[in-house]
Amino acid sequence: MISRPSFRLLGQGLAFMAFMAIVGYFSNSPGYTHLEAGQAVIKLSFHHFGQRQAECRTRSAAEVASLPPNMRLALDCQRERFPIRVTLDLDGQTVYQGVQQPAGLHHDGVSYLYRRFTVPAGAHRLKMWLSDKPGDAVGYQLEREVTLVPAQVLVIDFNPEKGGFTVE
C-alpha cells in the first residue's frame, strides 16, 4: 500500500509533468506568422494639437488688475481646439480618412492617431494631408515615393517643428 505522503508526491509530480508538457507544446505550436511573405507594414502614428477655436484676446490693464494675483495673465485664451483631419492615400487609393478629436474634458488636449496597414512590398506612392484648422484648409501635406522591402515597417510621424510629416 502507498502511504499518503508518497501518494501526494506522485500526484504533484504528475501535475508538474502535465504542466510542463502544456508549456512545451505552446512554446512551439501553433505556428505564428507575423507577416505573410512579400508583405510590409505602414504605421501612421502621431499626436498633434489642433489650432485654438478662438483667437487669444489681450486684456486691458484694468481687467488684469481686477483679477486675483494668481490669475493675472495678459492674454485671455479659450481652451477648446479644433479636431485634426487626416487622409492617407496609397497608390491613388484612400486607405485612411478620419477625424481625431482633441483629448480632455474641455477638448483642449492633443489629438492622437495610430493606425497600422499591411501592404504588399514594392514601390508605392504616398500622399498625406493633415488639417488642424476650421474648414477644408489643408495645413500640411506630404507626397513621396517609397520602396518597401518584405517585412519592413515604415513609420509616418508628424512634427510641426520639422516641417510636418516625417517618414522613417
Side-chain angles (χ1 to χ4, degrees):
M1 180 149 175
I2 300 176
S3 66
R4 279 187 118 152
S6 300
F7 186 68
R8 283 189 207 151
L9 287 176
L10 180 63
Q12 284 180 348
L14 290 174
F16 283 130
M17 286 183 5
F19 179 72
M20 288 188 306
I22 291 170
V23 170
Y25 172 76
F26 283 114
S27 68
N28 293 319
S29 300
Y32 173 73
T33 304
H34 180 63
L35 284 174
E36 298 295 326
Q39 297 289 305
V41 174
I42 296 176
K43 289 185 179 180
L44 181 58
S45 174
F46 60 83
H47 60 280
H48 177 63
F49 283 103
Q51 299 294 321
R52 292 187 186 273
Q53 289 199 3
E55 292 293 323
C56 292
R57 178 181 73 82
T58 303
R59 292 181 174 138
S60 68
E63 286 178 301
V64 172
S66 69
L67 294 171
N70 65 329
M71 297 179 68
R72 291 184 180 162
L73 296 174
L75 290 178
D76 178 24
C77 298
Q78 297 294 320
R79 295 171 65 167
E80 196 166 354
R81 295 183 177 271
F82 284 106
I84 62 170
R85 293 185 315 280
V86 179
T87 303
L88 170 63
D89 285 358
L90 185 66
D91 300 325
Q93 300 277 18
T94 300
V95 293
Y96 177 76
Q97 186 171 23
V99 176
Q100 302 305 119
Q101 296 296 327
L105 183 63
H106 299 284
H107 302 290
D108 59 345
V110 69
S111 298
Y112 294 96
L113 176 63
Y114 176 80
R115 294 289 185 273
R116 181 181 186 273
F117 308 98
T118 303
V119 299
H124 296 282
R125 181 111 184 117
L126 283 174
K127 286 186 182 180
M128 292 210 51
W129 297 272
L130 182 138
S131 175
D132 58 359
K133 302 172 183 166
D136 292 331
V138 174
Y140 300 91
Q141 64 185 43
L142 167 79
E143 192 168 333
R144 179 173 293 175
E145 294 280 338
V146 294
T147 302
L148 303 173
V149 297
Q152 180 180 354
V153 178
L154 179 79
V155 178
I156 302 171
D157 194 5
F158 183 80
N159 188 340
E161 287 83 30
K162 292 183 180 178
F165 293 104
T166 57
V167 179
E168 300 171 11

